Amino acid sequence: MSDVGSETNPLRVAIVGAGPAGFYTAERLFKEKNSHITVDMYDRLPTPFGLVRNGVAPDHQKIKSVTKVFDRLANKPQFRFFGNVELGTDITVEDLRQHYHQIVYTTGAQTDRSLDIPGIDLKNSHPATEFVAWYNGHPDFRDYEFDLSQESVAVIGIGNVAVDVARILCRTREELMETDIADYALEQLSQSNVKEVYMLGRRGPAQAAFTPPEAKELGELKGADTIVLPEEAELDPLSQASLADADRGTMRNIEIIKELSERELTGKPKQLTIRFLVSPTELIGNDAGEVVAMKLVKNELYQTESGTMRPRPTENFEEIPVGLVFRSIGYRGVPIPDVPFHERWGVILNEKGRVLNAVSNEPVLGEYTAGWIKRGPSGVIGTNKPDAAETAECMLADLAAGKVLSPAHPELDAATKLVQEKKPNYVSYEDWLKLNELETAAGEAQGRPRIKFTKVVDMLAALGKQ
Ligand code: NAP
């Protein structure tokens, strides 16, 4: 047999996870002119695009247009999609090792970081990741229940996910109608009783994790006045002193927060209050085990030896009445059976995208990773492009050095047969394009970008694949 990467023996790559990191890895591999490379992309859902479909806020449609780039990649003859096929359930890593020269894990960060305070497990206290997946119509979360009859909601954290959650809670029905939010979420949010939303930052305005466009948008909500307490918009002396080294984003955030703190209330139906230098210390429940209030401690900042500003509690406590709590303090990766995992960091053990053996710390032959499961849950969609390129370049270097797996069945047809046997109702990219057409046509009829399928059975039925 000729060398791997030749026309007659192309490099066979399996990418597991059809989000941006997976597509950007394929994009970089397809740019390689000297080797023949074919990619099979797997996803546990019938739909591609990962967090672009199930995480990006539905009122941020422009961000979702990145899928056009992914469509163009998927249109290449060297690319195939096997949706509705779950690694660990339908197929195993060993199956992939028998069919591909290289395997790339781009499964993202599928759960949330935990917050260890008393009462966190009370009824009506949820990870924001679940709420986000629910309103975006993720099939695994569509039946979750969130008590939107509550008037007062707290969102813990002030990253961009917290901003998304707070904004969606404050949107009017008319605003939501312009989005592709799941139809059940549109109905429930339109009828919600929510009047007061708090976003809680444990540090100050100069350390806010949200980005300026997202912060600015919070001040432009049709149905909610956005409030910052003037005393919390003021920088503490340590933050003030650090401004000389601050980047443009931080300076802009500070300006936006100051401007919000100077606003008068205009009598909009909802109020969104962004708090700084406060940490929840306890959720207080009633006899039915439901959250009724949150205890907060006022923080002060101190500087670590590395120069980072950290929060520490003072003696000042307060209590705010809240009936619904979302903790939005970061996503976390989930281990894949048979793949080395760094428990504390919540990522696949890797160096520049090469998966490492947990004992020897040496690269595992033929296995790679990219995206949030490689580096942790940080950055915007575009951040995955250089990240995936780094991984793809390691893959190409290893190909050049002859360091690839020797699968027993590298032929294209062998992988098709494997999937047909293990998951006969898998979904191809062509199938997805049909679903996409049905969704956008249903949306058009209601003047919305799309109406999503939110049940796998409905997707399969629409494709005649039950
Ligand atoms: P994030 O940006 O890391 O923000 C996490 C927030 O949780 C921070 O405010 C953090 O405060 C806070 N936090 C962490 N531990 C806490 C604790 N124990 N108690 C209280 N607060 C705590 O994470 P994210 O919001 O989940 O976003 C993930 C990534 O996706 C980010 O890179 C984000 O920019 C990106 N994203 C982008 C968009 C967009 O572009 N529109 C939308 C959504 C997400 P500290 O800063 O003090 O740690």
Side-chain angles (χ1 to χ4, degrees):
M1 206 183 249
S2 51
D3 285 348
V4 177
S6 65
E7 197 167 353
T8 49
N9 188 19
L11 178 78
R12 298 275 295 120
V13 176
I15 297 180
V16 184
F23 276 99
Y24 285 132
T25 305
E27 181 181 54
R28 175 63 190 88
L29 291 175
F30 289 156
K31 283 197 176 132
E32 188 59 23
K33 293 285 170 257
N34 298 325
S35 303
H36 290 263
I37 302 175
T38 63
V39 167
D40 287 348
M41 186 178 277
Y42 290 83
D43 202 286
R44 57 191 285 270
L45 291 179
T47 51
F49 308 147
L51 279 188
V52 177
R53 180 176 168 98
N54 293 313
V56 170
D59 57 344
H60 281 174
Q61 286 297 309
K62 261 196 206 148
I63 296 181
K64 295 184 185 232
S65 60
V66 68
T67 58
K68 292 200 183 97
V69 176
F70 304 155
D71 279 339
R72 279 199 295 276
L73 282 167
N75 203 22
K76 289 185 184 287
Q78 312 94 292
F79 180 95
R80 302 190 301 181
F81 176 61
F82 293 118
N84 200 29
V85 182
E86 185 167 11
L87 183 64
T89 312
D90 302 315
I91 54 165
T92 62
V93 169
E94 197 44 44
D95 286 330
L96 296 180
R97 289 185 188 132
Q98 294 301 320
H99 289 79
Y100 298 92
H101 300 105
Q102 293 183 331
I103 305 163
V104 194
Y105 306 106
T106 54
T107 47
Q110 296 172 48
T111 187
D112 63 299
R113 287 179 54 202
S114 58
L115 181 66
D116 190 16
I117 56 169
I120 198 69
D121 293 325
L122 283 170
K123 204 161 170 257
N124 294 348
S125 161
H126 309 273
T129 51
E130 292 179 359
F131 187 57
V132 169
W134 173 79
Y135 65 61
N136 275 314
H138 189 301
D140 293 354
F141 296 87
R142 69 172 315 286
D143 296 324
Y144 279 44
E145 287 177 12
F146 300 96
D147 184 2
L148 297 170
S149 71
Q150 299 296 331
E151 287 196 4
S152 185
V153 187
V155 184
I156 304 169
I158 51 170
N160 280 334
V161 171
V163 173
D164 285 348
V165 166
R167 203 179 60 246
I168 291 296
L169 285 166
C170 290
R171 286 284 189 210
T172 62
R173 183 180 178 87
E174 289 65 39
E175 286 173 317
L176 292 176
M177 277 297 285
E178 290 167 18
T179 76
D180 67 352
I181 196 162
D183 48 3
Y184 54 79
L186 170 66
E187 287 316 314
Q188 290 183 43
L189 283 161
S190 303
Q191 287 161 29
S192 101
N193 237 354
V194 171
K195 295 196 174 49
E196 190 96 51
V197 178
Y198 298 97
M199 273 178 61
L200 306 172
R202 62 178 171 177
R203 298 190 288 165
Q207 296 83 31
F210 50 59
T211 41
E214 281 65 30
K216 188 161 174 287
E217 205 180 357
L218 287 181
E220 296 162 353
L221 297 167
K222 283 195 184 135
D225 280 317
T226 300
I227 301 165
V228 175
L229 307 178
E231 63 274 24
E232 290 187 351
E234 291 300 328
L235 296 190
D236 66 290
L238 272 179
S239 299
Q240 189 69 44
S242 72
L243 286 191
D245 301 325
D247 57 28
R248 274 177 54 195
T250 302
M251 296 306 289
R252 185 73 190 111
N253 270 350
I254 294 168
E255 246 173 64
I256 294 167
I257 290 158
K258 180 106 181 66
E259 190 270 318
L260 288 172
S261 75
E262 289 161 356
R263 287 193 187 180
E264 304 281 333
L265 290 182
T266 65
K268 290 181 184 172
K270 295 181 186 178
Q271 293 190 350
L272 167 60
T273 307
I274 312 173
R275 298 286 312 267
F276 294 98
L277 286 166
V278 287
S279 282
T281 56
E282 184 180 352
L283 302 187
I284 299 160
N286 60 14
D287 291 344
E290 299 157 334
V291 178
V292 290
M294 178 187 274
K295 199 168 172 186
L296 291 173
V297 66
K298 191 80 189 159
N299 293 329
E300 61 185 10
L301 294 180
Y302 69 97
Q303 196 161 15
T304 63
E305 271 176 24
S306 65
T308 316
M309 306 289 182
R310 304 295 310 159
R312 72 177 157 218
T314 65
E315 299 287 305
N316 299 328
F317 290 88
E318 63 181 297
E319 215 173 280
I320 53 171
V322 289
L324 184 59
V325 174
F326 295 110
R327 49 187 185 275
S328 180
I329 62 168
Y331 283 74
R332 199 184 142 76
V334 175
I336 299 172
D338 231 9
V339 180
F341 193 73
H342 194 299
E343 272 302 332
R344 199 156 56 82
W345 298 347
V347 298
I348 290 176
L349 204 59
N350 77 93
E351 190 182 7
K352 295 185 174 172
R354 285 187 179 99
V355 176
L356 298 179
N357 181 297
V359 180
S360 68
N361 235 22
E362 291 295 317
V364 175
L365 183 70
E367 296 188 34
Y368 305 85
T369 180
W372 278 7
I373 195 66
K374 166 188 174 186
R375 69 172 194 277
S378 67
V380 293
I381 291 167
T383 315
N384 292 298
K385 195 169 169 157
D387 176 285
E390 179 185 62
T391 297
E393 276 149 28
C394 290
M395 295 166 69
L396 294 167
D398 290 349
L399 169 66
K403 292 185 196 161
V404 295
L405 291 166
S406 308
H409 313 288
E411 313 79 31
L412 280 177
D413 288 354
T416 319
K417 200 160 154 254
L418 168 80
V419 180
Q420 275 167 348
E421 267 171 31
K422 304 266 179 155
K423 198 71 190 254
N425 56 359
Y426 74 89
V427 169
S428 67
Y429 210 80
E430 225 180 6
D431 292 331
W432 153 246
L433 292 176
K434 277 184 215 149
L435 291 177
N436 181 48
E437 250 178 57
L438 291 169
E439 288 189 342
T440 46
E444 214 170 303
Q446 292 188 23
R448 300 185 52 202
R450 73 173 62 235
I451 310 243
K452 284 181 177 177
F453 285 102
T454 60
K455 290 184 187 168
V456 172
V457 282
D458 291 349
M459 298 182 203
L460 297 178
L463 295 168
K465 289 194 168 212
Q466 297 94 317

